[in-house]
């Protein structure tokens, strides 16, 4: 039996088409592609199931940011198909979330085609990630701020810098964590610059990824996490155990070779 047909929407800002189509391997799963490149995966039947490896690592960091099941305030800079917003609602019902997306058509398209779980409290902001920080309510402090915009070494300079991280850090609650997905090429030039920039803005910084990524020989994603307190050793153990495997976490002096 044939499933739902793919649907598309033209994104004027990007000058490309966004397409949402069923995932043939997952019942209830859908894939968002932009310009022919896969961007996000959503499982409407099970929002706790995160398909992409790097997003699962971010989800595990969110798990550690507050006691299990407790609602959090979350800011998503770069919305995609709102995979992590769905995960947070599923695992922490009642959470208050904000999502910032540059492409209005993309956000409208996703919300129309892939409805959020019932009860989700999500406020959307259309605009540049840095400019949007000033538009957020002054009385809201975030337990997690997730930046998922960098898709290669040509990251926007006004985002890939200490000043931006300082502005984002100012929005964090006392327990807040700033999480940055860095997609990079062999040599990890962008990862090194972002570790250095994040270290200047936060009390402590750690990095987690598939262990081979830290050799600098492969393209891929490394997740950086900035905390407002010393990095907890138990978080290293938890992230390593939860995977996806093989997982590695670097913090403190172990991360020094990747700083600058």
């Amino acid at each position: 039996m044939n499933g739902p047909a793919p649907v598309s929407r033209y994104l004027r800002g990007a000058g490309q088409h966004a397409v949402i189509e069923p995932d043939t391997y997952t019942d209830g799963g859908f894939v968002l592609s932009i310009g022919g490149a896969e961007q996000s995966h959503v499982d409407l039947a099970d929002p706790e199931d995160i398909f992409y490896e790097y997003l699962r690592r971010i989800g595990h960091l969110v798990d550690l940011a507050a006691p299990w099941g407790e609602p959090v305030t979350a800011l998503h800079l770069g919305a995609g198909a709102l995979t992590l917003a769905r995960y947070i609602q599923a695992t922490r019902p009642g959470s208050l979330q904000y999502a910032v997306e540059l492409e209005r058509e993309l956000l409208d398209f996703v919300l129309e085609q892939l409805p959020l779980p019932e009860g989700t409290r999500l406020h959307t902001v259309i605009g540049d990630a840095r400019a949007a920080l000033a538009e957020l309510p002054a009385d809201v402090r975030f337990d997690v701020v997730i930046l998922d915009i960098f898709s290669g070494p040509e990251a926007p300079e006004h985002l890939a810098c200490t000043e931006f991280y300082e502005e984002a850090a100012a929005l964090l609650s006392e327990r807040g964590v700033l999480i940055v997905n860095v997609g990079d090429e062999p040599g990890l030039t962008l990862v090194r610059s972002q570790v250095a920039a994040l270290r200047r803005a936060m009390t402590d910084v750690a990095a987690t990824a598939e262990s081979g990524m830290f050799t600098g020989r492969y393209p891929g994603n490394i997740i950086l996490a900035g905390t407002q307190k010393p990095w907890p050793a138990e978080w290293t153990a938890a992230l390593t155990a939860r995977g996806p495997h093989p997982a590695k976490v670097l913090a403190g002096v172990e991360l020094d070779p990747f700083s600058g």
Side-chain angles (χ1 to χ4, degrees):
M1 179 166 48
N2 294 327
V7 290
S8 68
R9 180 76 53 86
Y10 183 70
L11 308 179
R12 288 175 292 178
Q16 297 177 317
H17 279 89
V19 177
I20 293 175
E21 57 189 331
D23 173 12
T24 56
Y25 301 102
T26 306
D27 290 337
F30 291 84
V31 177
L32 167 68
S33 300
I34 298 177
E38 288 191 12
Q39 299 289 329
S40 302
H41 181 282
V42 167
D43 188 340
L44 294 183
D46 183 8
E48 293 186 45
D49 180 27
I50 300 179
F51 181 78
Y52 288 156
E53 174 187 299
Y54 83 91
L55 287 178
R56 273 189 281 162
R57 297 188 197 281
I58 294 177
H60 294 326
L61 277 163
V62 174
D63 293 343
L64 297 172
W68 180 253
E70 182 179 305
V72 295
T73 53
L75 173 60
H76 306 268
L77 300 174
L82 297 167
T83 303
L84 289 169
R86 301 167 196 274
Y87 177 79
I88 289 174
Q89 171 60 21
T91 57
R92 300 177 179 276
S95 293
L96 174 63
Q97 304 190 67
Y98 288 77
V100 177
E101 174 55 51
L102 189 60
E103 296 280 356
R104 180 182 297 276
E105 291 94 344
L106 176 60
L107 201 50
D108 289 345
F109 182 49
V110 166
L111 291 172
E112 173 187 303
Q113 299 294 329
L114 304 173
L116 293 173
E118 185 175 351
T120 303
R121 300 168 61 203
L122 179 75
H123 301 274
T124 58
V125 180
I126 304 300
D128 172 79
R130 187 167 182 179
L133 297 184
E135 300 180 26
L136 299 170
D139 60 341
V140 176
R141 288 294 174 266
F142 295 96
D143 299 309
V144 288
V145 172
I146 302 168
L147 177 66
D148 188 10
I149 294 174
F150 302 157
S151 58
E154 296 180 1
E157 291 184 5
H158 72 296
L159 300 181
C161 63
T162 296
E163 292 76 17
F164 171 67
Y165 292 139
E166 289 174 340
E167 293 168 16
L171 301 179
L172 290 171
S173 66
E174 186 175 344
R175 67 184 181 184
V177 182
L178 177 54
I179 304 170
V180 184
N181 170 42
V182 185
D184 208 356
E185 296 182 347
L188 304 180
T189 301
L190 181 60
V191 168
R192 297 174 194 279
S193 69
Q194 296 316 291
V195 170
L198 201 54
R199 276 184 158 183
R200 290 190 288 267
M202 304 297 298
T203 299
D204 212 347
V205 177
T208 181
E210 186 274 324
S211 57
M213 276 300 301
F214 292 109
T215 67
R217 287 182 274 181
Y218 313 104
N221 299 78
I222 291 180
I223 309 303
L224 307 181
T227 56
Q228 310 212 82
K229 57 184 178 181
W231 178 259
E234 60 269 26
W235 285 21
T236 294
L239 292 171
T240 303
R242 295 180 188 190
H245 301 295
K248 189 171 186 177
V249 181
L250 299 181
V253 296
E254 290 186 323
L255 190 59
D256 286 352
F258 294 88
S259 183

